[in-house]
Amino acid sequence: MQRLYDSVEPRVMDEDMLKLAVGEQGPQEEAGQLARQEGILFKDVLSLRLDFQNILRIDSLWQFENLRKLQLDNNIIEKIEGLEHLVHLVWLDLSFNNIEAIEGLDTLVNLEDLSLFNNRISKIDSLDALVKLQVLSLGNNQISNMMNIIYLRRFKDLRTLSLSGNPIAESEDYKMFIYAYLPDLVYLDFRRIDDHMKDLAGSKHQYGIDELKHREHLIQARLDDEWAQQEELKKHKVAFVEHLNGSFLFDSMYAEDIEGNKLASLPGVGELLQAYKDKFVIICLNIFEYGLKQQEKRKVELDTFNECIQEAIQENQEQGKRRIAKFEEKHLLSLNAIREESDPTNIEIKIVEYGEDITELFNVLMTLEMQLVEQLEETINMFERNITDLVALFIENVQSLMAQCRDLENHHHEKLLEISINTLERIVKGELDQDLPEDVRATRNPRHETRVTCPKTQHIHGRAAI
């Protein structure tokens, strides 16, 4: 099934091989001689054929950044690699090689035609990035699981598929399964698909298709929701208020506070902690909403700045164009007159006159450029002042809100210490009816205060312990 070259030494793709191939496939005759003299830049090559070269490994293609078509068939390549820089590739032929897995194609987002015919591939995967794929040839491989067909449903532009010569092609339901689950396919194994057969296949597999569509819908809905959450988080990060639209900050402060959680079993501490959390979250929400409003103001300021810059540049360019057009209109006929003038003295006089006009045009254009520079500098300075004021106001108000958090926290811990001392006194007097866990009873030094700093708020978390 595979092409073997036992009598020829395997080769690794190198610069000498590439130069030879480019030279042979480049322009011929006089144009070719000129190209060979001056040298052909790899970045200018659009098509490259490297078939029947006994290539074992793909390498050294990073300079072919504008390559559209690459032919690597009939070699002994074992792994798809070294193609990451060929982002403009549209057509790729890797047929008749020894490839066992589909890989190394993640950057080929413009690929439309891919041939992996006659290799050792057993699974169709790792093609997700090929969103423009229209033609896929995988005949004469080792694909045996019909579920590989389901994977191909994600390629909405796929119209031509070849799978003949694989174990799955021997299945009785092979064609009908593909017709049903890939309804947009036009050609299968080099034959056009009959519309009537598509309808029959769709009816035969209707239940399975409906169930699959339902699962796909749920998966897509989940992906859309995750994407929306990520986009929302990006907006919050830009506004410096991520995770402040809920209890995340408060919960993170106490997530690993084992000793603090023990105190929740003291009488009245649960209600105290819930009241503290509710008020803390309200302050976080105030910071969150204020941050989004301030970010919107900064965005408006940035948009206005960009508009002013573009308007200034455009107006300056228009003025320059008008002056140049006026100069050309004035002197076009005069230039023809110079060409027709036979008297050297008159020619000299006219050239001096036109030279003065050219100097005047140059000075006007330079004046316009200096005006633009001054205008841009003034606009940039104004933008910097406005942004600095907005940021300073944002920081000042957020610090004020965070001070409320600190006051709230101090008040909470004062109450917590009061409850702790009161509980200890009741224990000593034997007046406490409620049973406390042993780990709480074993904690000593009720007046000891442990200070824990929260990295986000720099709060001082004082904790009283019994």
Side-chain angles (χ1 to χ4, degrees):
M1 179 174 167
Q2 308 304 322
R3 296 183 65 89
L4 299 176
Y5 296 84
D6 296 332
S7 60
V8 183
E9 186 72 21
R11 303 173 65 188
V12 176
M13 198 180 298
D14 57 23
E15 191 159 342
D16 291 337
M17 178 192 294
L18 297 173
K19 285 181 178 179
L20 181 61
V22 170
E24 291 177 347
Q25 299 163 35
Q28 302 300 318
E29 299 179 352
E30 185 177 345
Q33 293 178 4
L34 182 62
R36 281 188 287 275
Q37 289 174 3
E38 296 182 353
I40 301 176
L41 297 176
F42 286 173
K43 70 180 184 64
D44 295 330
V45 177
L46 300 180
S47 178
L48 182 62
R49 191 178 71 251
L50 293 167
D51 54 339
F52 295 99
Q53 296 291 323
N54 213 46
I55 296 171
L56 177 63
R57 181 186 171 200
I58 305 171
D59 200 0
S60 305
L61 289 174
W62 60 273
Q63 296 182 69
F64 292 82
E65 55 190 64
N66 292 306
L67 198 65
R68 300 292 192 276
K69 181 177 180 180
L70 177 59
Q71 192 169 337
L72 287 168
D73 60 283
N74 290 280
N75 287 289
I76 53 174
I77 298 168
E78 297 180 349
K79 182 178 181 180
I80 305 175
E81 59 184 338
L83 303 176
E84 57 273 8
H85 296 286
L86 310 184
V87 295
H88 297 293
L89 206 62
V90 175
W91 191 94
L92 175 61
D93 188 355
L94 285 163
S95 57
F96 294 95
N97 280 286
N98 297 330
I99 298 168
E100 296 185 355
I102 301 175
E103 58 187 330
L105 302 174
D106 294 340
T107 62
L108 308 187
V109 294
N110 291 299
L111 199 65
E112 298 177 3
D113 192 317
L114 173 62
S115 179
L116 289 164
F117 188 86
N118 212 91
N119 278 280
R120 301 173 179 174
I121 297 168
S122 59
K123 183 179 180 181
I124 306 175
D125 63 356
S126 303
L127 294 171
D128 299 51
L130 279 54
V131 293
K132 297 182 180 180
L133 190 64
Q134 299 178 18
V135 179
L136 178 61
S137 177
L138 281 166
N140 282 19
N141 276 281
Q142 300 172 6
I143 301 167
S144 58
N145 192 336
M146 199 72 78
M147 289 299 102
N148 284 280
I149 304 303
I150 304 300
Y151 173 78
L152 296 176
R153 285 174 60 85
R154 68 194 65 200
F155 302 103
K156 305 305 180 183
D157 294 332
L158 186 63
R159 297 295 178 268
T160 302
L161 176 65
S162 170
L163 287 170
S164 60
N166 283 279
I168 60 169
E170 300 173 5
S171 170
E172 293 183 4
D173 200 35
Y174 163 67
K175 290 186 177 179
M176 296 295 280
F177 188 90
I178 292 178
Y179 296 165
Y181 283 91
L182 300 178
D184 295 325
L185 207 62
V186 178
Y187 295 94
L188 175 63
D189 297 334
F190 311 106
R191 291 189 177 184
R192 187 176 181 87
I193 301 173
D194 182 77
D195 290 338
H196 177 63
M197 295 303 296
K198 277 188 180 182
D199 294 338
L200 290 177
S203 299
K204 179 180 179 180
H205 292 274
Q206 187 64 53
Y207 177 78
I209 292 172
D210 290 343
E211 187 175 305
L212 179 60
K213 285 182 176 179
H214 177 67
R215 290 202 304 270
E216 290 175 340
H217 175 74
L218 293 178
I219 292 172
Q220 188 59 48
R222 177 175 57 80
L223 292 175
D224 291 343
D225 185 57
E226 290 176 357
W227 180 86
Q229 290 179 14
Q230 290 298 321
E231 290 299 306
E232 195 70 13
L233 182 59
K234 288 179 182 178
K235 294 179 182 178
H236 298 169
K237 285 184 176 180
V238 171
F240 307 105
V241 293
E242 66 270 24
H243 305 307
L244 289 178
N245 55 334
S247 62
F248 177 84
L249 178 58
F250 184 90
D251 295 338
S252 66
M253 291 169 59
Y254 286 88
E256 299 180 0
D257 189 2
I258 299 175
E259 295 297 322
N261 290 330
K262 293 178 182 179
L263 299 179
S265 60
L266 296 180
V269 171
E271 294 81 357
L272 178 67
L273 185 61
Q274 185 60 48
Y276 172 36
K277 179 177 181 178
D278 292 342
K279 294 176 182 179
F280 191 94
V281 170
I282 289 174
I283 296 175
C284 287
L285 290 173
N286 289 337
I287 296 174
F288 177 79
E289 293 172 0
Y290 175 71
L292 291 182
K293 290 179 181 178
Q294 288 301 110
Q295 169 57 22
E296 187 60 32
K297 290 181 179 180
R298 293 194 294 271
K299 184 178 181 300
V300 170
E301 188 66 34
L302 179 60
D303 291 342
T304 303
F305 168 73
N306 288 328
E307 289 175 7
C308 290
I309 292 292
Q310 293 302 320
E311 288 177 4
I313 293 174
Q314 185 175 356
E315 176 61 26
N316 190 274
Q317 289 176 343
E318 291 299 326
Q319 291 184 37
K321 288 177 182 179
R322 287 195 294 268
R323 295 305 296 260
I324 292 172
K326 186 176 180 181
F327 175 85
E328 290 177 343
E329 182 182 355
K330 176 181 178 182
H331 293 290
L332 184 59
L333 296 176
S334 301
L335 290 173
N336 292 330
I338 290 178
R339 295 190 186 98
E340 296 173 358
E341 181 63 57
S342 57
D343 187 351
T345 304
N346 292 336
I347 292 175
E348 186 68 27
I349 293 173
K350 290 181 179 180
I351 289 176
V352 172
E353 292 175 354
Y354 301 153
E356 292 174 354
D357 290 342
I358 291 173
T359 301
E360 181 183 353
L361 176 63
F362 173 80
N363 291 333
V364 169
L365 295 177
M366 288 301 297
T367 301
L368 287 174
E369 184 172 350
M370 292 305 298
Q371 289 175 352
L372 176 62
V373 170
E374 292 176 359
Q375 189 174 357
L376 293 181
E377 286 181 352
E378 182 180 350
T379 303
I380 292 171
N381 291 334
M382 183 179 297
F383 171 72
E384 289 179 345
R385 287 194 299 270
N386 292 344
I387 285 294
T388 300
D389 291 343
L390 285 173
V391 171
L393 179 63
F394 173 71
I395 293 174
E396 180 182 350
N397 289 332
V398 169
Q399 286 177 339
S400 174
L401 290 169
M402 295 307 296
Q404 295 180 31
C405 287
R406 285 192 293 272
D407 294 341
L408 185 62
E409 187 173 34
N410 291 334
H411 175 74
H412 168 74
H413 291 304
E414 287 174 3
K415 290 293 184 182
L416 186 60
L417 182 60
E418 182 180 325
I419 291 175
S420 300
I421 295 173
N422 182 53
T423 302
L424 178 61
E425 291 174 349
R426 292 174 63 189
I427 291 176
V428 172
K429 295 177 181 179
E431 298 176 354
L432 186 66
D433 297 330
Q434 179 180 344
D435 290 334
L436 296 177
E438 285 300 321
D439 55 351
V440 177
R441 287 179 174 273
T443 309
R444 295 176 297 174
N445 195 357
R447 296 189 180 276
H448 174 69
E449 185 175 270
T450 303
R451 306 174 82 79
V452 179
T453 304
C454 174
K456 279 202 173 187
T457 64
Q458 295 300 306
H459 291 169
I460 302 300
H461 175 199
R463 181 174 65 249
I466 295 177

